[in-house]
Amino acid sequence: MGGEGKPPVDETEVQYLVGIVMALDNLAALIMLPIFGRISDKTKSPIGKRMPFILVGTFVSAVVFPFIPVFFHYDNMAGVIVLMAIIVFFMMMYRSPAVALMPDITPKPLRSKANGIINIMGFLGGGCATVVGIFFAITDYLGNESSASQEGWAYHNIWVIEVPFIVASVLMVVSALVLFLTIKENKLAIELRGEMEEGEKEGQAVDAVVEDQPLSKANKWMLGLVLTAEVFWFMADNAVGTYFGNYVIYYIGASSSNTMIVTIVMGVASVIGFASAGFIADKIGRKYTMLIGLALTLVGYVAMSFTVPGTAGSDGFAPFPWHLYLVYILKGFGMSLVNTCSFPMVVELATGSKVGRFTGYYYAASMGAQTLTPVLLGLVMYLTATWFVIPIYASVMMGISIVIFLFVRNVRIHRMDTKKGLEAIDNPLD
């Protein structure tokens, strides 16, 4: 595939490999995220119930990760698939426990703001990963031999693709160690017991969530509605996010370089949304905050549906439609409101002993949507033979999500009535 004297890497092989990774990851997530979330709920250890899964999963993944490009470079597809299966398993091992760690140590009324901060950090991490990939010019590895003779060492040099994997592994280990050294689960569980109990009293569920008791009918209905709506909004969001690059190239006829600018614009809008979602939810409730986000995203998809192909200029590319920048501003800000509030809304219905399980439900729903939408949208595109249907498909899915979410109760914080001042002093005359 990429060793000495071998022909250039066929890009279709790479796309095939990417397809295997995505399918394997989504299928594994559907099954394994709820399982590991539930197992971690029942785990007891000197370092906590989540930390063992985080440490083992991270370290094994970090050790195996750099060997993927080695097997790829030497044309060992079977080895690549085996290594990916190992990594998927161990990443699934720590994903639910790692996400559940936030609600474990954060009282219910503060979880939207905390989730906003986590999403901002995740966005920044993704941006750094993109920069690393660009810096090491991974795409040069797939170049042709004639261009390589002019540009030098990049052609099929294994280090071009190996170094980013090593950097990622080092960062994974460092982040796990920082988490382990700063978050003492068992100690925090004792220190925060009062705050967590008070947070339970101020929960935003229809009925009170009681330990060792099943969810009430109203709470089950709320959970089902949120998860079902989540499937549809992720089907919409994943459709546009997955195919936007091809949409720009093959439908609009514009240069693919425009997608980078659009991504940066969306990133800025998303960070603003993540930072403000918790404060908005405190004022109007999580339901209406999320409905605003879903509606803004729907407006963006509808506007995108009016995009028409342009006329190619002297450089062979059509101009990039300016309104798509606005579409991605709406999408970035809107979906950040949704993603910030939706996870806390799900784990709001879980007691402390079931947070991992409910975290698994949340991510299984999102992964299920991301598994289904390429198949369904691919069928629609096959029947219509056009890229034009992508924003229409996304608009329909988002519209269904909004209709479902309208039936979710907007439960505000159940504030405890407390006496203040002189009222707090017992009156001996009473």
Side-chain angles (χ1 to χ4, degrees):
M1 183 174 292
E4 293 293 335
K6 293 189 177 182
V9 176
D10 185 352
E11 189 172 348
T12 57
E13 287 187 77
V14 179
Q15 296 302 325
Y16 172 66
L17 187 62
V18 171
I20 292 175
V21 175
M22 294 178 66
L24 185 64
D25 181 69
N26 291 339
L27 180 61
L30 278 171
I31 300 171
M32 295 167 61
L33 288 178
I35 292 176
F36 280 117
R38 186 166 187 170
I39 293 174
S40 69
D41 283 337
K42 300 179 180 297
T43 298
K44 295 180 180 180
S45 80
I47 59 174
K49 57 184 178 180
R50 316 294 183 194
M51 203 61 68
F53 297 89
I54 296 172
L55 294 179
V56 173
T58 301
F59 284 119
V60 173
S61 299
V63 170
V64 175
F65 201 49
F67 288 96
I68 289 180
V70 176
F71 280 82
F72 177 79
H73 181 78
Y74 290 105
D75 202 13
N76 190 334
M77 183 66 71
V80 171
I81 294 175
V82 169
L83 291 181
M84 289 191 303
I86 294 172
I87 288 177
V88 166
F89 178 84
F90 282 96
M91 283 189 170
M92 292 302 113
M93 174 186 287
Y94 73 73
R95 185 166 185 176
S96 286
V99 175
L101 192 58
M102 182 275 285
D104 278 345
I105 60 177
T106 306
K108 286 185 174 180
L110 303 178
R111 288 175 181 173
S112 292
K113 293 177 181 177
N115 200 39
I117 296 172
I118 290 173
N119 280 310
I120 291 175
M121 295 299 102
F123 228 84
L124 294 177
C128 291
T130 301
V131 171
V132 170
I134 294 173
F135 179 78
F136 286 103
I138 296 176
T139 52
D140 286 344
Y141 182 85
L142 304 177
N144 55 61
E145 192 168 4
S146 60
S147 65
S149 64
Q150 299 173 0
E151 297 176 7
W153 70 282
Y155 173 69
H156 288 183
N157 186 302
I158 187 173
W159 290 105
V160 175
I161 55 173
E162 179 64 28
V163 171
F165 280 75
I166 294 175
V167 171
S169 290
V170 171
L171 291 176
M172 288 170 65
V173 172
V174 170
S175 63
L177 289 175
V178 170
L179 190 67
F180 173 68
L181 294 174
T182 55
I183 303 296
K184 305 298 182 182
E185 278 192 75
N186 294 337
K187 182 180 178 182
L188 285 173
I190 296 173
E191 293 178 349
L192 297 174
R193 183 175 297 164
E195 288 85 345
M196 298 300 292
E197 290 176 354
E198 190 65 27
E200 289 291 331
K201 298 175 184 177
E202 298 184 358
Q204 299 179 53
V206 179
D207 297 320
V209 179
V210 182
E211 193 71 57
D212 297 326
Q213 291 189 16
L215 285 178
S216 68
K217 184 177 180 180
N219 283 348
K220 286 182 180 179
W221 177 246
M222 181 176 178
L223 177 63
L225 288 173
V226 174
L227 292 178
T228 304
E230 179 193 353
V231 169
F232 283 98
W233 79 58
F234 269 110
M235 289 180 70
D237 189 58
N238 188 249
V240 175
T242 300
Y243 292 102
F244 184 70
N246 289 333
Y247 178 85
V248 169
I249 296 171
Y250 299 114
Y251 178 70
I252 299 175
S255 171
S256 60
S257 61
N258 292 285
T259 59
M260 179 64 70
I261 302 174
V262 169
T263 301
I264 294 172
V265 170
M266 183 185 71
V268 174
S270 297
V271 169
I272 295 173
F274 290 138
S276 58
F279 297 96
I280 298 174
D282 282 348
K283 298 295 183 181
I284 63 176
R286 288 172 180 158
K287 173 186 175 177
Y288 292 121
T289 302
M290 291 174 63
L291 280 175
I292 290 172
L294 294 171
L296 289 174
T297 308
L298 175 60
V299 170
Y301 291 155
V302 171
M304 186 177 173
S305 301
F306 290 95
T307 304
V308 295
T311 303
S314 58
D315 59 355
F317 296 109
F320 188 78
W322 66 269
H323 74 277
L324 289 184
Y325 293 111
L326 178 60
V327 167
Y328 264 71
I329 290 174
L330 293 174
K331 168 179 158 61
F333 183 80
M335 289 308 299
S336 66
L337 297 184
V338 175
N339 292 331
T340 300
C341 295
S342 55
F343 174 63
M345 183 174 280
V346 170
V347 293
E348 197 82 4
L349 301 170
T351 58
S353 64
K354 297 180 181 178
V355 168
R357 183 192 306 184
F358 279 65
T359 300
Y361 294 159
Y362 177 83
Y363 282 101
S366 67
M367 287 297 179
Q370 294 176 58
T371 302
L372 178 61
T373 212
V375 177
L376 183 57
L377 179 56
L379 176 62
V380 173
M381 292 173 64
Y382 173 77
L383 294 175
T384 59
T386 177
W387 296 93
F388 173 73
V389 298
I390 292 176
I392 297 176
Y393 171 92
S395 298
V396 171
M397 295 297 110
M398 189 60 72
I400 295 174
S401 177
I402 291 175
V403 171
I404 294 172
F405 206 75
L406 285 172
F407 292 93
V408 175
R409 290 271 297 273
N410 186 45
V411 184
R412 303 294 296 276
I413 295 177
H414 298 306
R415 299 290 185 187
M416 298 297 293
D417 293 330
T418 56
K419 297 181 179 181
K420 299 179 180 179
L422 295 177
E423 295 179 0
I425 302 176
D426 291 336
N427 189 340
L429 299 179
D430 289 344

